[in-house]
Amino acid sequence: MSCLFCRIASGEIPASKVYEDTDVLAFNDINPQAPLHVLVIPKQHIATTNDLTEADEALVGKLVRTAAALAAQKGYADRGYRAVFNCNAEAGQTVFHIHLHLLAGRSLGWPPG
Ligand code: 5GP
Ligand code: ZN
């Protein structure tokens, strides 16, 4: 298994986990870009958001709702947060296993760089 996030999901590589259930895992980003920077991933390998199918709709909803629940749990629901998927080169995707970045705790610029 060569995918980094599959290896984190299986427990082969350690991560600072903040939430886990049968379908999804959330862990702190190793190089945080905000006071809260969590990655929410499906345990199942999906390389990019281009590879999602109709069968994944509930799973993607769960990723988004998990991010919202974590933001609320950490006290950022009202202040605000950003939840974003990067897809492929121009968006800066470096790990090809989909992951929702949850960023909060500072004012986030728009448009993004
Ligand atoms: P991307 O650039 O693909 O959207 O985001 C990949 C993210 O994964 C980056 O924010 C990067 O810091 C994070 N990352 C890369 N390798 C590791 C790792 O081994 N552990 C953790 N926790 N995060 C990682
Ligand atoms: Zn994977």
Side-chain angles (χ1 to χ4, degrees):
M1 197 197 300
S2 60
C3 170
L4 175 63
F5 287 176
C6 281
R7 294 169 80 183
I8 287 177
S10 73
E12 184 189 333
I13 291 179
S16 169
K17 296 180 185 179
V18 296
Y19 176 77
E20 182 169 18
D21 65 26
T22 52
D23 307 311
V24 311
L25 175 67
F27 53 94
N28 290 310
D29 195 291
I30 205 168
N31 182 23
Q33 300 301 310
L36 178 71
H37 188 175
V38 167
L39 302 174
V40 187
I41 69 168
K43 289 191 169 176
Q44 168 196 345
H45 181 83
I46 300 170
T48 79
T49 52
N50 291 334
D51 302 299
L52 292 166
T53 70
E54 194 175 349
D56 300 317
E57 285 180 0
L59 180 61
V60 173
K62 192 163 181 181
L63 296 177
V64 176
R65 291 193 69 243
T66 298
L70 288 169
Q73 194 183 98
K74 305 284 183 187
Y76 295 113
D78 291 336
R79 279 180 64 181
Y81 57 89
R82 185 166 294 161
V84 62
F85 289 100
N86 293 326
C87 181
N88 281 337
E90 287 197 358
Q93 185 176 7
T94 58
V95 178
F96 288 85
H97 178 131
I98 63 168
H99 46 282
L100 187 59
H101 291 263
L102 169 62
L103 297 142
R106 66 173 174 84
S107 190
L108 298 162
W110 193 265

